[in-house]
Amino acid sequence: MAGEWIAYDLALPSKPEVQELLDTTGQPVEVVVYRLLQLWGWASMHCADGTARMTLPRLVRTCGGDEAFWRAVAAVGWLELDETAATVAVP
């Protein structure tokens, strides 16, 4: 566990994955980056190995957005969803 902080890459808003998320979801960069930071912060506090028991509806409730947003995050490779096992993993 990293404690109650996470490192922030100053180039995050301009990364190709974020730019793809902007195009795919239509959300503003501030919203996309905030939701990603919510995800990574939550994972830092609650996952020993990057995998957690988390359904998609719980992820929406915890980090915001909707299921389509988190499926888009998975599509860019920053989240692995296993709906059968009810887990998410941050690779």
Side-chain angles (χ1 to χ4, degrees):
M1 185 183 305
E4 294 184 11
W5 63 273
I6 59 172
Y8 173 72
D9 182 346
L10 294 174
L12 181 60
S14 62
K15 286 189 175 287
E17 294 90 338
V18 170
Q19 294 299 308
E20 184 176 335
L21 288 170
L22 299 178
D23 294 339
T24 302
T25 67
Q27 297 292 316
V29 67
E30 304 87 30
V31 170
V32 170
V33 168
Y34 177 77
R35 289 179 185 157
L36 291 171
L37 290 173
Q38 287 290 100
L39 170 66
W40 295 330
W42 182 88
S44 174
M45 296 295 293
H46 300 286
C47 303
D49 65 355
T51 301
R53 288 179 41 202
M54 174 69 90
T55 63
L56 207 44
R58 282 187 222 146
L59 181 60
V60 167
R61 186 174 59 236
T62 302
C63 299
D66 57 19
E67 291 187 13
F69 177 84
W70 295 107
R71 289 186 195 285
V73 173
V76 300
W78 281 353
L79 186 63
E80 295 172 356
L81 302 168
D82 185 339
E83 295 183 66
T84 303
T87 61
V88 298
V90 179

